[in-house]
Amino acid sequence: MSSAQGFGSNSPRTKLTQSQLNAILLRHQAFRKSQPGGVRANLKMRDLSHLDLSGIDLSDADLSGAKLFSARLTGANLANANLYAADLRLANLEKADLRRADLRGACLRGAVLSEATLVEVDLRDGTLLHYDSSGEMYAHEYEDSVLTSELTAATIRGADLSRAKIANAFVMQTDLTDAVLRGTKFMRANLTGSNLTGCDLTDADLTEANLSGARLSGAVMTGCAINRTNFSGATLIGAILDAAQMRSPNLQAAVLAKTLENPEDDLREMLMEHLSWIDSGGKAGKRADLSALDLSGRKLDGINLSAAILQCIALRGANLSGAAMAIADMSLADLRKADLSKADLRGVNFERATLTGANLTGAQLGPVHIQTMSGHVWRANLQRARLGMALLCKADLRKANLSGANLAGADLTGANLSEADLTGADLTGAVLDGATMDQAIVEEAIGLAS
């Protein structure tokens, strides 16, 4: 039986008007403030479909079995709320606070939860309940009494589901791009065809989960349990995996980064074609495309890959010191502990790239001025890049887009961050001695001394 039916088809819901709901909300607000006349909101089995609940405070409220089909709940506070078996299909919960909410057996098919807080939320199976003639609830006695939580086709981009319980749930064709899933329990969950690009799955549990056809490019999976996980056809190019995980037999069915059969000869030929392409202004040769290749640990210092396509490339521990890589597309690249000191990275695209522990001392990450009538400025893009513990001493980061980047523990001594966009960046423990930050945008930046 579908979880969209709440506590069962024999349990009719009472439709509330917006004015009736507003009266309940006023009493709930008084309850939250311990004011006279305050009453905890009891919206159990109520029909709130299509109503506007944006920004309301329903924390600790009882919404079990409620129908919230296509309801607007943007920015709502539903922390600790009881949403057991609730129907939230197509509901808009963008930026809502659902931490520790009980969503067992709830249906969130097609719901929007982008940037919502779902820390420690419970999305495990629920048990179908009914009301008897006296109004008391009783459990369904048959095998179909279990309600499986559903997030199919939901949009959950950039949401925080840390330590959430999502075991056995349906999360198929769901957009979880950039979601925080640290320590999340996905045991036996069905994530078929879902988009987990750039997700943080550190210490998550994917035991026996089905990730066939899922996209995990740029996903951090260190410490993630993948015992008996189904990765058939899943894209893990650019995913950050432990050495032990890479040896797991169930990764053999996944799409992983490729290696060159004759790396020295093949690379030499590609570079010669690329240099010819650069020198001729694109009239001869061929633009280098090294996307999805594994070149980890290689000595590539001084190489010229300006404007090359290097999406999802693996260059862990590679030597790229002094390399020319201006305007190169290195989005979702794995550059952990790579040496990029004094490299020309002007206008580079490092979006969602992992540069944890990388050496970018003296690197040029400023803008490129395109010689056109409009005088276009091509800024370096480090949006959501992972630069934790990276060395950025005396690096030129003028006008760079660092919004949402992780710079925790990075050494930015003497770096130039003039006019850089640090909106929502994490600078916890970063060293900024002598750094220039004139006109830098630091709205919602974390760990930045005021």
Side-chain angles (χ1 to χ4, degrees):
M1 185 175 289
S2 169
S3 57
Q5 294 176 291
F7 282 132
S9 56
N10 64 337
S11 304
R13 295 184 178 88
T14 303
K15 178 70 177 177
L16 289 186
T17 64
Q18 188 75 50
S19 58
Q20 289 173 323
L21 175 62
N22 291 342
I24 293 171
L25 293 176
L26 281 173
R27 291 194 294 272
H28 186 70
Q29 286 175 17
F31 164 76
R32 295 284 298 153
K33 296 175 182 177
S34 300
Q35 294 174 344
V39 179
R40 185 195 303 271
N42 183 355
L43 295 162
K44 183 186 298 182
M45 298 301 297
R46 297 294 189 264
D47 187 348
L48 308 171
S49 298
H50 308 290
L51 293 184
D52 188 353
L53 293 88
S54 301
I56 52 90
D57 183 355
L58 276 172
S59 51
D60 298 303
D62 188 354
L63 292 133
S64 52
K67 186 173 183 180
L68 291 145
F69 179 82
S70 197
R72 186 173 175 83
L73 291 145
T74 54
N77 183 359
L78 292 157
N80 298 299
N82 183 0
L83 287 152
Y84 185 99
D87 179 1
L88 286 152
R89 290 172 299 157
L90 301 178
N92 189 341
L93 291 142
E94 190 171 358
K95 296 184 178 179
D97 187 349
L98 288 145
R99 69 189 76 198
R100 294 180 298 279
D102 185 353
L103 282 156
R104 286 174 296 159
C107 184
L108 290 137
R109 191 184 313 143
V112 177
L113 292 134
S114 295
E115 297 183 52
T117 302
L118 294 132
V119 175
E120 297 180 3
V121 74
D122 195 345
L123 276 153
R124 293 175 295 175
D125 297 338
T127 303
L128 186 60
L129 301 175
H130 298 291
Y131 284 105
D132 61 19
S133 57
S134 65
E136 295 297 316
M137 287 189 294
Y138 65 95
H140 201 307
E141 297 177 356
Y142 304 105
E143 291 181 2
D144 64 353
S145 63
V146 175
L147 291 171
T148 301
S149 298
E150 186 178 342
L151 287 156
T152 299
T155 303
I156 318 179
R157 296 173 69 93
D160 188 349
L161 291 103
S162 299
R163 301 181 301 284
K165 302 179 184 73
I166 314 182
N168 300 309
F170 292 117
V171 199
M172 298 174 289
Q173 302 292 329
T174 299
D175 188 353
L176 285 151
T177 302
D178 299 322
V180 180
L181 304 166
R182 297 175 71 92
T184 303
K185 306 297 183 185
F186 279 111
M187 296 86 75
R188 299 173 300 282
N190 190 341
L191 291 135
T192 303
S194 287
N195 187 355
L196 292 100
T197 300
C199 276
D200 186 353
L201 282 153
T202 305
D203 298 327
D205 193 342
L206 289 165
T207 302
E208 296 183 16
N210 185 355
L211 283 118
S212 56
R215 283 172 285 171
L216 290 138
S217 296
V220 178
M221 300 179 68
T222 52
C224 182
I226 57 171
N227 302 323
R228 298 180 298 283
T229 306
N230 182 359
F231 286 110
S232 299
T235 302
L236 275 80
I237 298 169
I240 310 303
L241 296 155
D242 294 331
Q245 290 171 325
M246 290 298 293
R247 294 191 292 271
S248 178
N250 52 346
L251 286 183
Q252 293 177 3
V255 181
L256 300 167
K258 304 182 292 288
T259 55
L260 295 171
E261 288 186 17
N262 302 297
E264 300 300 332
D265 295 338
D266 292 346
L267 269 177
R268 188 182 301 109
E269 184 177 342
M270 279 191 281
L271 288 171
M272 286 177 65
E273 287 287 305
H274 186 68
L275 288 174
S276 179
W277 178 79
I278 292 172
D279 294 339
S280 66
K283 295 177 182 178
K286 185 180 179 182
R287 185 184 187 185
D289 187 346
L290 285 79
S291 299
L293 283 180
D294 191 345
L295 299 173
S296 298
R298 294 209 160 268
K299 185 175 172 58
L300 301 166
D301 51 311
I303 199 171
N304 189 346
L305 282 168
S306 298
I309 304 170
L310 308 164
Q311 295 174 349
C312 295
I313 192 169
L315 287 160
R316 293 183 308 278
N319 183 357
L320 292 153
S321 60
M325 305 175 88
I327 321 180
D329 184 356
M330 302 184 76
S331 53
L332 297 164
D334 182 359
L335 288 148
R336 285 175 287 172
K337 296 186 178 179
D339 185 357
L340 290 152
S341 57
K342 297 183 179 179
D344 181 0
L345 299 164
R346 291 171 300 149
V348 74
N349 183 11
F350 273 146
E351 186 173 0
R352 296 193 183 94
T354 301
L355 295 116
T356 309
N359 182 3
L360 292 122
T361 301
Q364 299 298 309
L365 287 148
V368 171
H369 296 272
I370 308 298
Q371 299 300 317
T372 62
M373 292 294 290
S374 61
H376 179 70
V377 175
W378 195 294
R379 302 164 63 197
N381 182 13
L382 291 94
Q383 188 175 18
R384 292 188 177 274
R386 303 181 183 107
L387 292 146
M389 304 305 292
L391 296 176
L392 288 151
C393 308
K394 297 183 179 179
D396 182 2
L397 289 153
R398 286 173 299 133
K399 297 186 178 181
N401 181 2
L402 287 151
S403 57
N406 184 353
L407 290 148
D411 190 345
L412 289 148
T413 303
N416 190 346
L417 289 153
S418 299
E419 300 182 64
D421 186 352
L422 289 156
T423 305
D426 187 352
L427 289 143
T428 306
V431 180
L432 290 158
D433 295 343
T436 305
M437 299 186 68
D438 296 339
Q439 300 181 57
I441 304 169
V442 295
E443 185 180 352
E444 297 181 18
I446 303 165
L448 192 64
S450 56

